[in-house]
Amino acid sequence: MPKILVIEDEKHISRLIEITLQREGHEIEKAFDGVEGLEKVESFKPDLIILDRMMPRMDGMEVMRNLQ
């Protein structure tokens, strides 16, 4: 089962993405800011990351730089 990490600070958007992807059979983990997202990358080991660009504490561009 593909593992997807959703990093999105808007909880209603995050939930909508989660429901949609779970219906398709994906395992979903969520984070609500960039710092939490980077922590979950280490423990969850996602196959794909869906990432918001504008978030508190660490924006999406900074998350991408840290992942590289």
Side-chain angles (χ1 to χ4, degrees):
M1 174 183 317
K3 294 167 60 171
I4 300 174
L5 174 61
V6 178
I7 307 174
E8 167 61 64
D9 62 321
E10 299 281 340
K11 292 188 181 194
H12 65 282
I13 294 172
S14 179
R15 181 70 178 137
L16 180 61
I17 294 169
E18 176 185 34
I19 290 168
T20 302
L21 294 174
Q22 282 178 334
R23 285 183 186 157
E24 297 298 320
H26 302 288
E27 181 180 349
I28 307 301
E29 182 67 41
K30 297 186 296 185
F32 297 103
D33 64 51
V35 174
E36 182 184 5
L38 287 176
E39 291 169 359
K40 291 201 175 183
V41 165
E42 293 296 318
S43 60
F44 184 60
K45 307 272 193 251
D47 298 304
L48 175 71
I49 299 172
I50 296 176
L51 177 62
D52 188 5
R53 186 171 180 276
M54 296 177 63
M55 296 180 292
R57 295 203 309 166
M58 181 184 297
D59 69 19
M61 298 302 287
E62 191 173 345
V63 171
M64 287 180 21
R65 284 191 289 276
N66 277 279
L67 290 171
Q68 291 177 345

